[in-house]
Amino acid sequence: MTSSSPQTRLVALAVVGLVVLAPPSPAFPQDLSRFEIQRAHMMLKIIRKDLDKYYYDGTFHGVRLDDSFKAADEKIDLAHSLSRLLGVISLPLLDLDDSHTFFIPPERSARFQFGRRMRAIGDRCYVTDVQEGSDAETKGLKKGDLVLAVNDHELLRENLWGLTYAHRVLSPRATLPLLVQSPGEEPRRIDVVAKIEERKVIRRSDSPLDLADYIREAQDEAYLARHRSRAVGDTLLIWKMPQFDLTADEIRTLMGRIRTYRSLVLDLRDNGGGSTETLERMVGCFLQNKTKIGDLKSRAPMPPLVARKTGDLFEGTLVVLVDSGSASAAELFARVMQISGRARIIGDRTMGAVMMSRWFEHSIGATSGITFASSITIADIIMSDGKSLEHSGVAPDELLLPTAEDLAAGRDPVLARAASLCGAEITPETAGGYFPFEWKR
């Protein structure tokens, strides 16, 4: 087995802890039938076939898949809850140390609303938003609180997604204890109780989404994915881009407006990526047609990602904002702008989750069956400097992080700094009010 990066290794450890140590989730019945055990064995076999057929690296990074899947197959017979079954099924995929290869369990009929958002800033994790009227607000959780632990697991940038995947996707629970610390205060424990809503289960199909997007779907904090913009005077436009999901016509229309300004701040913070076609067309708005974004490393030859012309080039000043939530296509866009010298990148280091993947959906049973899927990496993307961004992410030209006090006060010093690079002056307080987080209704 090859050595794992800290991020994926901690993802695996979080799930192992869930399978071996964590108490069963109260959201599911704890007595498994023989049929449920057999069905789990079937799911594991199907996922193995997906991996063998589609995974981009035929050597699987040296991972001994026979051993990984055999161990998981044996653990299935020892599981005593549905949550542990799902955790066991996920383990062989996590062994591959790959951000875009993971198990997608059957959808839940219940939606868990915790009324708070967390984000990694630097190496630590902070509360960035608290929903009005939620149990989190009632119990004193505040924006700017440092989150020290979740369910007694120390929380750091490296394991945020692993713990989220374990506790919110594989084993959602009605109560999730947090150890938090407000600036200048002592740590305190808060047991946040979720608001649970029943919802209709919708079948999925193949999708370009990644792990970050899937976890967002499973949370009440799911971002309302609409593109927003704000003009600052007559010369600067700020574009808040939540994901790469625009058609060629939509890009052409937006860029027509943007070209009337001398400067653009493209805010890709918390942008989880999306379509490669949108990425190619976005790059084509700022760099010459056919400029190479990256080569695709895959089992079968694939054409490189290149800029695709969508109207005239924008030749004004470009500043791109990124953070720990910027992933996939957002990272690739930022890096190609950085390599070419076309834009200045400021903010936090990006997620380092940039593989190209596909979802493969499966069903077991007919009228009362279940639907699950696997996300399988079909290609790695090698940038023009010969490197992949997987696990490393994009290091910004200017590292600039909001403080806990900034979060608590609603200030955005990163956006204010970006505006100043474009010749416009706005205060961090003003910048913080431009694009407030919108809770899903």
Side-chain angles (χ1 to χ4, degrees):
M1 180 182 297
T2 57
S3 60
S4 299
S5 73
Q7 179 179 358
T8 304
R9 181 167 63 249
L10 286 168
V11 168
L13 288 174
V15 179
V16 169
L18 174 68
V19 173
V20 178
L21 302 175
S25 168
F28 305 104
Q30 302 308 309
D31 295 325
L32 295 176
S33 66
R34 183 182 183 87
F35 171 72
E36 287 172 313
I37 296 292
Q38 292 174 339
R39 188 168 61 185
H41 285 297
M42 293 173 63
M43 293 168 72
L44 191 67
K45 289 180 181 179
I46 291 170
I47 287 174
R48 172 65 189 271
K49 289 180 180 179
D50 287 345
L51 204 58
D52 285 337
K53 185 174 182 179
Y54 299 110
Y55 194 64
Y56 83 104
D57 179 6
T59 70
F60 304 100
H61 310 308
V63 173
R64 300 169 66 91
L65 289 186
D66 289 342
D67 293 344
S68 295
F69 277 88
K70 180 181 178 182
D73 201 55
E74 292 172 351
K75 286 186 175 73
I76 285 175
D77 293 320
L78 302 177
H80 298 292
S81 72
L82 178 57
S83 295
R84 296 190 184 195
L85 275 183
L86 298 178
V88 166
I89 294 170
S90 73
L91 292 176
L93 297 184
L94 296 176
D95 282 344
L96 287 166
D97 190 16
D98 186 317
S99 65
H100 280 57
T101 298
F102 54 93
F103 170 55
I104 304 163
E107 285 191 275
R108 313 296 189 185
S109 60
R111 185 164 173 256
F112 294 74
Q113 300 182 1
F114 281 93
R116 52 98 178 114
R117 295 180 71 235
M118 297 185 298
R119 185 172 81 241
I121 299 176
D123 295 327
R124 308 305 297 271
C125 300
Y126 294 84
V127 176
T128 58
D129 295 279
V130 179
Q131 188 175 24
E132 184 178 352
S134 65
D135 185 68
E137 183 191 49
T138 299
K139 291 180 176 172
L141 193 67
K142 294 176 287 187
K143 290 197 299 183
D145 281 351
L146 171 64
V147 185
L148 300 169
V150 175
N151 198 32
D152 297 325
H153 291 272
E154 182 183 12
L155 187 64
L156 300 168
R157 176 189 176 111
E158 289 78 10
N159 67 352
L160 173 60
W161 282 114
L163 288 172
T164 304
Y165 179 57
H167 292 135
R168 299 297 300 274
V169 176
L170 297 177
S171 181
R173 55 195 66 213
T175 302
L176 201 57
L178 305 176
L179 183 65
V180 301
Q181 184 176 19
S182 297
E185 299 181 10
E186 292 297 316
R188 65 190 188 279
R189 180 185 173 96
I190 297 178
D191 292 336
V192 180
V193 179
K195 178 182 178 182
I196 302 176
E197 293 182 353
E198 294 296 321
R199 66 188 181 99
K200 181 182 291 186
V201 174
I202 302 174
R203 288 172 57 86
R204 291 189 177 89
S205 59
D206 286 355
S207 166
L209 299 178
D210 61 12
L211 175 57
D213 293 308
Y214 177 71
I215 289 177
R216 285 189 182 106
E217 281 188 8
Q219 297 176 354
D220 58 295
E221 301 93 349
Y223 189 77
L224 292 179
R226 64 183 179 90
H227 296 250
R228 294 182 283 176
S229 62
R230 185 73 177 247
V232 180
D234 298 327
T235 62
L236 170 63
L237 187 72
I238 303 168
W239 176 5
K240 178 69 175 175
M241 185 181 189
Q243 56 188 0
F244 281 70
D245 61 347
L246 301 176
T247 65
D249 286 341
E250 289 171 330
I251 293 173
R252 191 175 292 109
T253 298
L254 280 168
M255 291 305 301
R257 180 190 177 198
I258 289 168
R259 290 187 192 96
T260 65
Y261 293 85
R262 292 205 301 264
S263 302
L264 172 67
V265 172
L266 183 59
D267 190 346
L268 300 183
R269 291 176 295 180
D270 215 25
N271 182 315
S275 163
T276 55
E277 180 180 353
T278 302
L279 168 65
E280 290 180 320
R281 292 195 177 277
M282 281 292 296
V283 173
C285 294
F286 302 95
L287 295 176
Q288 292 295 328
N289 191 40
K290 302 300 182 181
T291 298
K292 183 183 289 187
I293 300 170
D295 291 307
L296 299 181
K297 178 183 177 183
S298 59
R299 288 198 193 185
M302 298 177 68
L305 298 178
V306 297
R308 299 171 64 178
K309 184 177 181 180
T310 309
D312 296 331
L313 290 178
F314 175 76
E315 298 181 344
T317 301
L318 175 63
V319 179
V320 178
L321 309 187
V322 295
D323 67 2
S324 66
S326 304
S328 197
E331 298 181 86
L332 295 169
F333 180 89
R335 182 57 179 152
V336 73
M337 294 297 138
Q338 187 179 54
I339 290 174
S340 66
R342 177 64 184 84
R344 186 164 181 82
I345 315 300
I346 70 173
D348 198 357
R349 177 169 58 88
T350 64
M351 187 179 296
V354 295
M355 311 295 261
M356 181 181 290
S357 65
R358 286 183 57 197
W359 282 20
F360 300 94
E361 184 184 285
H362 304 282
S363 295
I364 296 178
T367 56
S368 60
I370 61 169
T371 300
F372 64 99
S374 60
S375 175
I376 305 295
T377 290
I378 60 172
D380 190 4
I381 301 165
I382 309 302
M383 305 298 292
S384 61
D385 61 357
K387 299 178 182 178
S388 169
L389 295 175
E390 180 75 358
H391 301 313
S392 62
V394 178
D397 299 313
E398 184 175 339
L399 181 67
L400 183 57
L401 309 177
T403 64
E405 291 78 9
D406 288 328
L407 297 174
R411 298 190 295 259
D412 189 346
V414 181
L415 181 53
R417 169 60 178 161
S420 72
L421 293 174
C422 298
E425 295 301 326
I426 56 176
T427 66
E429 290 79 8
T430 298
Y434 279 172
F435 306 109
F437 181 79
E438 298 173 323
W439 294 92
K440 178 174 281 188
R441 296 176 176 85

